[in-house]
Amino acid sequence: MTDYSVVDRLISNNRLTREECLQLLAILDQDQVKKKLALEACRLREHYYGKKVFTRGLIEFTNYCRNNCYYCGIRRDNKGLDRYRMSEDEIMACCHTGWQLGYRTFVLQGGEDPWFTGERIACLVRRIKEAYPECALTLSIGEHDYPTYKLWKEAGADRYLLRHETASEDLYRKLHPETMSLSNRIRCLRDLKALGYQVGAGFMVGPPGQTMDHLADDLMFLQDLRPEMVGIGPFIPHHQTDFAGEEAGSVDLTIALLSVIRLLLPSCLLPATTALGTLDPLGREKGLMAGANVIMPNLSPTENRKLYELYDNKICVDDQADKCRDCLAGRVRIAGYELVTERGDFQE
Ligand code: SAH
């Protein structure tokens, strides 16, 4: 007979051992389990954040990348992609649009573009923080050394998103070239925490070769790192990568994992990701109803968005920023929540 006691233990302790993680993952496809977890996940997020769903204005400012992650559409070896790099003024114009729409958080995301040296990013951070001191500024530009992260923190950056991608050495090797390492990725996350950034980690659900054991490693890693934010989304193949013919990750599993993460890190900021909305038209709404509380509308100029194609069929590439906001506000309302544009800092 199936043993469901692990669900109750997670709900009462907000902790799991690795063994329990595996037990839970084995029953996570069962409706009654998902429902129970989602109910508790929503109760927790409402305890900390009420009905609010926070927005993060996303500016995808460069699609140049020195890395070659096998799953990613903007990897270096994708020669079939037009590359773009926004100028500082163009980035400032996006912030201005975001500001006028009410957004008080900007996320600068990009490939690891060597043109944007540590100093150039620091200048940009200073300029944005000077123009919008009350806004939280998040960087998501990959792996750098401690002095560089420190420079950016001192320039005024508040948060940093760097998904760990997978906490398992063997899966990490299947998804990345030899030049990259899991140990460096984790070193980065620990450096960022030590420097006082609010940190976002996370992983993809269902990349080629991922097993329940790997997911258990991811959950244990998050429980140990305790990041302020966790970004998870289904893997989606990109036609110009080695993984073009692979199957996409499961929407249902991603949604169930959102609930589990909410239970493990009760007050974390948890986005219902664009990847989730790409695979399922109601994916983000379902994510919110399972415990997610953040949405990341795109603020980049529409002509660039198609070129920031991490995976195929990415949604929201044609809508102007104001339309994006209105569309999301409607979706969030349907899910029973309220879209807000304030900074939305992490609650202890
Ligand atoms: N260069 C930055 C930003 C990466 S893009 C960095 O290294 O952190 C943001 C996230 O998109 C990645 O962390 C990855 O988890 C996700 N991503 C990349 N390719 C994807 C794909 N094919 N399907 C789903 N998510 C993908």
Side-chain angles (χ1 to χ4, degrees):
M1 229 186 65
T2 314
D3 179 6
Y4 293 104
S5 61
V6 64
V7 176
D8 296 315
R9 285 205 300 284
L10 173 59
I11 290 174
S12 50
N13 304 335
N14 300 105
R15 277 202 80 74
L16 288 173
T17 63
R18 191 168 193 287
E19 197 46 48
E20 289 172 328
C21 255
L22 287 166
Q23 283 170 21
L24 182 66
L25 288 163
I27 53 172
L28 209 48
D29 59 342
Q30 298 188 22
D31 280 340
Q32 73 211 68
V33 173
K34 289 191 276 195
K35 272 199 195 124
K36 194 163 179 181
L37 291 172
L39 200 69
E40 179 62 13
C42 287
R43 193 190 67 75
L44 279 176
R45 73 72 116 41
E46 280 174 40
H47 171 77
Y48 289 99
Y49 299 103
K51 294 277 184 192
K52 289 178 181 176
V53 171
F54 301 100
T55 39
R56 310 283 186 235
L58 184 63
I59 305 170
E60 298 156 338
F61 68 103
T62 173
N63 72 352
Y64 283 88
C65 193
R66 63 177 169 172
N67 277 335
N68 226 352
C69 309
Y70 300 144
Y71 44 86
C72 183
I74 66 167
R75 60 200 300 265
R76 186 185 64 223
D77 283 356
N78 181 3
K79 306 289 185 211
L81 178 68
D82 288 334
R83 301 284 169 168
Y84 74 92
R85 172 183 295 135
M86 285 164 62
S87 70
E88 221 180 79
D89 287 344
E90 285 170 323
I91 296 169
M92 292 308 292
C94 285
C95 293
H96 180 72
T97 306
W99 170 266
Q100 287 192 314
L101 290 172
Y103 297 148
R104 295 297 175 262
T105 308
F106 304 126
V107 182
L108 291 181
Q109 190 179 82
E112 290 187 24
D113 179 353
W115 189 88
F116 282 102
T117 56
E119 200 41 61
R120 279 186 174 141
I121 292 288
C123 283
L124 182 62
V125 168
R126 280 187 214 108
R127 200 170 153 193
I128 295 173
K129 288 297 282 197
E130 221 160 90
Y132 307 102
E134 51 280 87
C135 292
L137 185 57
T138 306
L139 296 175
S140 178
I141 45 180
E143 300 174 20
H144 298 274
D145 58 15
Y146 184 91
T148 307
Y149 285 148
K150 184 160 184 278
L151 177 72
W152 297 341
K153 187 77 184 54
E154 285 165 359
D158 303 283
R159 307 174 180 163
Y160 205 101
L161 303 185
L162 185 78
R163 291 186 176 179
H164 63 282
E165 310 297 0
T166 169
S168 317
E169 193 62 53
D170 63 320
L171 182 59
Y172 189 91
R173 285 272 64 89
K174 287 187 192 140
L175 302 179
H176 303 93
E178 280 305 317
T179 48
M180 300 177 72
S181 73
L182 177 58
S183 59
N184 193 52
R185 197 91 182 158
I186 293 173
R187 190 270 309 157
C188 289
L189 284 164
R190 302 222 181 265
D191 282 355
L192 291 161
K193 273 220 130 186
L195 283 162
Y197 283 93
Q198 293 177 42
V199 169
F203 57 90
M204 285 180 293
V205 178
Q210 188 183 58
T211 63
M212 291 299 168
D213 266 292
H214 296 133
L215 287 173
D217 286 347
D218 287 321
L219 295 175
M220 296 311 286
F221 175 76
L222 290 173
Q223 177 170 268
D224 176 51
L225 181 72
R226 312 203 77 75
E228 283 78 17
M229 185 162 174
V230 179
I232 69 165
F235 160 76
I236 306 176
H238 183 286
H239 63 286
Q240 284 158 328
T241 62
D242 295 348
F243 293 160
E246 301 286 343
E247 229 176 277
S250 155
V251 169
D252 283 349
L253 178 57
T254 305
I255 290 168
L257 285 168
L258 285 170
S259 299
V260 175
I261 293 167
R262 168 67 62 210
L263 284 156
L264 289 175
L265 301 170
S267 72
C268 78
L269 293 155
L270 198 54
T273 54
T274 307
L276 197 52
T278 295
L279 281 190
D280 178 339
L282 292 176
R284 286 172 298 179
E285 290 85 332
K286 291 177 190 167
L288 296 175
M289 292 191 277
N293 65 338
V294 173
I295 282 215
M296 299 176 65
N298 207 315
L299 275 179
S300 319
T302 46
E303 64 270 23
N304 292 345
R305 289 192 205 171
K306 288 185 196 59
L307 301 177
Y308 197 82
E309 202 188 33
L310 306 172
Y311 44 80
D312 287 342
N313 305 317
K314 197 174 140 203
I315 51 168
C316 308
V317 293
D318 292 316
D319 282 352
Q320 296 292 343
D322 55 338
K323 257 187 87 186
C324 253
R325 182 195 55 182
D326 296 345
C327 160
L328 287 174
R331 289 171 179 272
V332 167
R333 212 175 306 121
I334 286 166
Y337 295 95
E338 179 206 356
L339 192 74
V340 298
T341 52
E342 65 204 61
R343 278 175 65 117
D345 279 294
F346 175 74
Q347 309 273 309
E348 281 299 335

